[in-house]
Amino acid sequence: MNVGGQVSEFTLVKCPSLELSESLLRFSLRRREFVTVAGNCECRYTGRASSHLGWGERLVLIKGDGSIQVHRPTGYEPVNWQPPQCTLHVHRNGCLLVIEAHRRRPRESLTLHFDRIIFYGSFRPVDRAEFNLYVSEEQMRDALIQDPSILEKGLELVDFERRVEPGFIDFYGRDVDGRLVIVELKRSQAGKEAILQLKRYVDAVLKLTGSNVRGVLAAPRLRSGAQGLLVELGLEFRRLSPRKCAEVLKKSGTRKINEFV
Amino acid sequence: MNVGGQVSEFTLVKCPSLELSESLLRFSLRRREFVTVAGNCECRYTGRASSHLGWGERLVLIKGDGSIQVHRPTGYEPVNWQPPQCTLHVHRNGCLLVIEAHRRRPRESLTLHFDRIIFYGSFRPVDRAEFNLYVSEEQMRDALIQDPSILEKGLELVDFERRVEPGFIDFYGRDVDGRLVIVELKRSQAGKEAILQLKRYVDAVLKLTGSNVRGVLAAPRLRSGAQGLLVELGLEFRRLSPRKCAEVLKKSGTRKINEFV
DNA sequence: GAGTGGATTTCGCAT
DNA sequence: ATGCGAAGTCCACTC
């Protein structure tokens, strides 16, 4: 267990016998640990296709969510695998240790036979961190200016960083029907704050122009639960992926991609 | 080293200090070993996009080909990674161990900071086995009969398992130009034997009909070096993937997929 | 080196 | 559950 930086529980065994390995695996699977097994094995897969891999030394990862992957000495991708939610079984067949992974839909299974375990490691990682993937907000703005259609077909730029009462509007445009569009950009997950900020811009522009104004929140994704507030305030969300922005910036060439922090 | 089933060289260390971990990593990287590091780390990626992952316990794999992947406790895919051929650097920054992975094209880098290593494992897997991915030959034939166009646009079935002098022809059809087409199927990599077999069929049919006959070898892939013989004998190769066959069989419904051996 | 298509794609979000 | 589209996709192959 890991509390306040203390050392986690883990198990590490050199060259365990197949019997011991079986016991270790059963225990780890029941505890939903993160298991690494290095050993000499043979792999068979049957399902959407079939495959066979003869004997050789590989590293097998088994996670607490039921995913399993077999890694050969080279290559980024596992040679055999099974995604999360699959059911794992361990048993011994004569002088071999067998690990089976089954999935229902699609129906497929992966079977590993081991005749020798080089080492066995297991632990229960404590990992509550949030993962954030993004481009910079400035880059997103540049991409949107270069090609407003990435957000919506027919969208055209009117102005950017327009000063209004509450601050600067990221992108100020006109849609295919001639309506004003105010875009608020967020480089990562957009939440309540972004929605309220956008609402302030929309209200300000509405007061100034008196015309119909659309408020669009553009971000890689919307925080779950924020949809309600968005709809309530009459605003819209448009997904804008980092990849898409990078693509546009690369094409436009006005700013070298891969130079941002 | 592994010769004839002997135990491979490997290194396994519980809770190594950051200094020791640095030395172990340098040694393993120089030796191009397969490394597994379990520890508490922070991950930053910059390149095609940017990402940040706060502190947490994860498992890092580093292979001899220079690929690296960071695995969280759940999910099939690594949260951060770098494909093969990237350059790896290890150093210490104050009380942290730093692993950096750089790639030139596209230009991107992954930086890991560790403040604690749970365990360190490395070995040099001996794995010379061949990996074969396939559907059964019968399934391939069924898929081709169901939809000959998966091999070539306009291809139509004339007969299958047609008896000729040397044996049974897998698929006997007519192409968009009205020419006879003889297809020899192989469920995995097709080699010299398959080519010669096909040639015998083509010759036999040529002798029987006297008309122009095309010989097509259909398999997931062609053994490297077999291309020469193929061209020499005036035959063709068409890639036929397991996935495509399974797709057709599933759609046709004549035979339940996932029931083959 | 750039471009194209496939994958046991996986993954997430919509219906 | 099912279907559709995106991905830091990766990877193999062609031009």
Side-chain angles (χ1 to χ4, degrees):
Chain A
M1 203 180 307
N2 181 302
V3 180
Q6 284 174 32
V7 173
S8 300
E9 254 180 41
F10 69 93
T11 303
L12 206 56
V13 186
K14 299 180 179 186
C15 302
S17 69
L18 296 183
E19 288 114 309
L20 177 55
S21 299
E22 185 188 5
S23 299
L24 290 167
L25 270 168
R26 285 188 191 285
F27 183 76
S28 292
L29 291 181
R30 202 161 48 234
R31 299 249 321 233
R32 305 219 158 254
E33 293 181 329
F34 193 148
V35 180
T36 71
V37 184
N40 197 50
C41 67
E42 185 201 31
C43 314
R44 289 176 189 278
Y45 161 77
T46 304
R48 287 167 285 183
S50 300
S51 75
H52 176 248
L53 176 63
W55 290 92
E57 295 178 331
R58 288 125 203 172
L59 185 77
V60 179
L61 301 189
I62 303 173
K63 298 192 184 185
D65 61 4
S67 63
I68 180 170
Q69 42 195 293
V70 182
H71 284 272
R72 302 190 79 176
T74 60
Y76 160 76
E77 295 180 327
V79 63
N80 280 119
W81 72 93
Q82 210 58 220
Q85 314 294 341
C86 80
T87 54
L88 296 161
H89 295 282
V90 185
H91 63 95
R92 274 191 305 133
N93 184 349
C95 56
L96 297 177
L97 175 66
V98 186
I99 301 177
E100 283 181 289
H102 295 276
R103 194 151 68 133
R104 282 305 169 100
R105 209 168 7 259
R107 188 159 190 82
E108 53 186 0
S109 66
L110 174 64
T111 305
L112 313 180
H113 288 258
F114 286 87
D115 70 352
R116 181 168 41 85
I117 308 295
I118 300 169
F119 65 79
Y120 181 96
S122 69
F123 69 132
R124 287 231 291 200
V126 175
D127 183 359
R128 311 205 177 289
E130 191 188 0
F131 178 69
N132 278 308
L133 179 67
Y134 42 73
V135 291
S136 74
E137 202 168 295
E138 192 192 0
Q139 279 196 307
M140 293 182 72
R141 199 205 55 193
D142 291 347
L144 192 55
I145 288 166
Q146 284 296 325
D147 183 6
S149 73
I150 59 174
L151 204 64
E152 179 179 297
K153 203 186 159 194
L155 184 64
E156 282 181 6
L157 175 69
V158 173
D159 198 359
F160 60 92
E161 295 229 332
R162 172 167 290 218
R163 181 89 180 91
V164 291
E165 181 47 41
F168 290 94
I169 294 176
D170 290 324
F171 180 98
Y172 192 73
R174 201 174 287 282
D175 72 10
V176 74
D177 299 322
R179 294 172 68 192
L180 282 175
V181 179
I182 292 168
V183 179
E184 172 69 11
L185 293 167
K186 281 296 156 200
R187 69 174 190 173
S188 65
Q189 200 175 52
K192 206 175 81 174
E193 329 74 53
I195 294 173
L196 295 175
Q197 177 79 345
L198 174 58
K199 179 66 168 128
R200 282 193 288 274
Y201 289 141
V202 169
D203 288 344
V205 172
L206 224 160
K207 195 182 288 183
L208 280 172
T209 67
S211 59
N212 209 346
V213 178
R214 289 172 56 200
V216 176
L217 183 59
R221 61 217 149 86
L222 186 64
R223 187 152 289 158
S224 61
Q227 181 85 41
L229 180 61
L230 197 81
V231 173
E232 194 180 310
L233 298 180
L235 305 173
E236 307 163 46
F237 174 76
R238 288 278 184 285
R239 185 171 180 275
L240 188 54
S241 74
R243 186 75 186 84
K244 190 68 192 172
C245 292
E247 194 180 291
V248 169
L249 291 173
K250 189 180 173 185
K251 203 176 295 178
S252 74
T254 52
R255 181 183 298 261
K256 278 228 173 67
I257 191 59
N258 300 339
E259 283 189 357
F260 51 90
V261 183
Chain B
M1 203 179 305
N2 181 302
V3 181
Q6 285 175 33
V7 173
S8 300
E9 254 181 41
F10 69 94
T11 304
L12 205 55
V13 186
K14 300 181 178 186
C15 302
S17 69
L18 295 183
E19 287 115 308
L20 177 55
S21 299
E22 185 189 4
S23 299
L24 289 168
L25 270 168
R26 285 189 191 286
F27 183 77
S28 291
L29 292 181
R30 202 161 48 234
R31 298 250 321 234
R32 304 220 158 253
E33 293 181 327
F34 193 148
V35 180
T36 71
V37 183
N40 197 50
C41 68
E42 186 201 31
C43 314
R44 289 177 189 279
Y45 161 77
T46 304
R48 285 168 287 182
S50 299
S51 76
H52 176 248
L53 176 63
W55 290 92
E57 295 177 332
R58 288 126 204 172
L59 186 78
V60 178
L61 301 189
I62 303 172
K63 298 193 185 187
D65 60 5
S67 65
I68 179 170
Q69 43 195 292
V70 182
H71 283 273
R72 301 190 78 176
T74 61
Y76 160 76
E77 296 181 326
V79 63
N80 280 119
W81 71 93
Q82 210 61 230
Q85 312 293 342
C86 79
T87 54
L88 295 162
H89 296 282
V90 186
H91 63 96
R92 274 192 305 134
N93 184 348
C95 55
L96 298 177
L97 175 67
V98 185
I99 301 177
E100 284 181 288
H102 295 276
R103 193 151 68 134
R104 281 305 169 100
R105 210 166 9 257
R107 187 158 190 82
E108 54 186 0
S109 66
L110 174 64
T111 305
L112 312 180
H113 287 258
F114 286 87
D115 71 352
R116 180 167 45 82
I117 307 296
I118 300 169
F119 64 78
Y120 181 98
S122 69
F123 69 132
R124 290 232 289 201
V126 175
D127 183 0
R128 312 209 176 285
E130 190 188 1
F131 179 70
N132 278 307
L133 179 67
Y134 43 72
V135 291
S136 73
E137 202 169 297
E138 193 192 358
Q139 278 195 309
M140 293 181 73
R141 199 205 56 192
D142 291 347
L144 192 56
I145 288 166
Q146 284 297 325
D147 183 4
S149 73
I150 59 175
L151 203 65
E152 178 178 297
K153 203 186 158 193
L155 185 64
E156 283 181 6
L157 174 69
V158 173
D159 199 0
F160 60 93
E161 296 227 335
R162 173 167 290 218
R163 183 88 181 91
V164 291
E165 180 48 41
F168 290 94
I169 293 176
D170 290 324
F171 180 99
Y172 191 73
R174 201 173 288 279
D175 71 11
V176 75
D177 299 320
R179 295 172 69 193
L180 283 176
V181 179
I182 292 168
V183 179
E184 171 69 12
L185 293 166
K186 280 297 156 199
R187 69 172 192 174
S188 63
Q189 202 176 51
K192 205 175 81 172
E193 329 74 52
I195 294 173
L196 294 176
Q197 178 79 345
L198 175 58
K199 179 67 168 127
R200 282 193 290 271
Y201 289 142
V202 169
D203 288 343
V205 171
L206 226 160
K207 195 181 290 181
L208 279 172
T209 67
S211 59
N212 208 345
V213 177
R214 289 172 56 201
V216 175
L217 182 59
R221 62 219 148 85
L222 186 63
R223 185 151 292 159
S224 61
Q227 182 84 41
L229 180 60
L230 197 81
V231 172
E232 194 179 308
L233 299 179
L235 305 173
E236 306 164 44
F237 174 74
R238 288 277 184 285
R239 182 172 181 274
L240 188 54
S241 75
R243 186 75 186 85
K244 190 66 191 173
C245 291
E247 195 180 288
V248 168
L249 291 173
K250 188 180 173 185
K251 202 177 295 178
S252 74
T254 53
R255 182 182 298 260
K256 279 227 172 69
I257 190 59
N258 301 337
E259 284 189 356
F260 51 92
V261 184

